[in-house]
Amino acid sequence: MRAGRREMGPETVVSEAATGGAPRADVRTPIERMFVRLHEPDRFADQGVLPSSARLRWPIERRTIGREELAMCHMIRAEGGGPLRSFSGGLAHETGWHHSRKADRMLGWEGETAYELIIAAESDHAVKRIEAESVAFESVLDGIPFHYTIDAELVMADGTITFVEVKRTEADLRDERLREVLAFVREACRRCGIRFLIVFRGGIWADRHHRRNAHLVARHAFVPIDAEHRLAIRRHFEEAEGATTRGALAAALAPGRPVLGRALVDACMIERLVRIDLTGRRLGDATEVHLP
């Protein structure tokens, strides 16, 4: 029998030896599973150190810092919370800017995956604020200094902060040094009560409808919402006894102007005035709309 392989799912490869042909299962663990699901490499993790936001300290002059208080790394923010770096477009891959309602500023993105993440966060009711390229980390790892900048910062409705590194596929994490830096940063974040996630392009959208609907909603992000619209939303839900549809709410917000009405509903969703499930089916007039 000629030596060969046959695939047995995404993680197991069976090899057939030339002498006898007995299959031997070789379990291969993708980098995504290794790093994200099994939290490896884990040599920086110390579960005995409980998360505490008190570890985020401003520099204090004329104060002696004890050995046990030595910083694991330095976290750097731009003044005003904006991006630490910007893009002129002179790179080999895609770069651009997105005007975000939740950030109330232009967000720079590097790579199409980062752009998709911003669009997904803009339409996610659980996300209250978005920043891009807003935080950097500096430290020394194995005797070599490093400087690392996150791709996105998400402030959730419950107040938790999530830093996100976006990658196209797990192949982008093959570099051992990069994996070590990300693991180091993740542990530093954990100790300060900040979530750190690596998000692959395939994990951004729940399905094809989710992506299409999110991009549709994002186009209407800056439709003006005034006090009358807010009052109309409250009245409409009272009359509808808490259950309505996108088409019905659109008619209540802009009577006789369905296109404007739908755009207003989408803008209200990004503003977190209403909540809509964008997954599972195309967004339409029959889509259910709920109060937050």
Side-chain angles (χ1 to χ4, degrees), residues 155-228:
V155 179
M156 315 307 285
D158 62 2
T160 59
I161 298 174
T162 301
F163 293 160
V164 183
E165 168 74 14
V166 295
K167 294 296 182 186
R168 292 170 301 172
T169 66
E170 60 191 42
D172 292 335
L173 287 178
R174 287 176 177 167
D175 182 80
E176 183 177 355
R177 174 68 178 181
L178 174 61
R179 295 199 307 271
E180 291 282 301
V181 168
L182 294 178
F184 185 92
V185 170
R186 182 189 58 197
E187 175 62 11
C189 290
R190 185 196 69 80
R191 295 185 184 190
C192 296
I194 298 171
R195 297 177 69 210
F196 181 81
L197 298 177
I198 296 176
V199 176
F200 296 100
R201 185 171 183 176
I204 293 176
W205 306 111
D207 51 48
R208 61 187 177 88
H209 298 296
H210 185 196
R211 182 182 185 277
R212 175 192 177 276
N213 293 339
H215 278 272
L216 175 64
V217 167
R219 292 188 307 185
H220 300 144
F222 283 91
V223 175
I225 303 170
D226 57 30
E228 291 185 3

Side-chain angles (χ1 to χ4, degrees), residues 3-71:
R5 289 180 177 173
R6 54 191 178 89
E7 295 292 335
M8 297 292 288
E11 296 179 33
T12 303
V13 176
V14 174
S15 301
E16 295 180 351
T19 59
R24 184 185 74 251
D26 296 327
V27 179
R28 299 186 177 188
T29 304
I31 293 175
E32 178 185 13
R33 178 175 293 278
M34 177 189 73
F35 192 83
V36 180
R37 301 176 189 171
L38 298 183
H39 307 293
E40 298 285 353
D42 63 355
R43 68 185 177 99
F44 308 109
D46 185 353
Q47 298 302 322
V49 180
L50 298 179
S52 172
S53 59
R55 293 192 176 90
L56 293 169
R57 299 192 304 268
W58 294 99
I60 301 175
E61 294 182 359
R62 299 191 182 95
R63 178 188 170 207
T64 301
I65 298 178
R67 184 177 181 84
E68 69 281 358
E69 293 182 286
L70 290 178

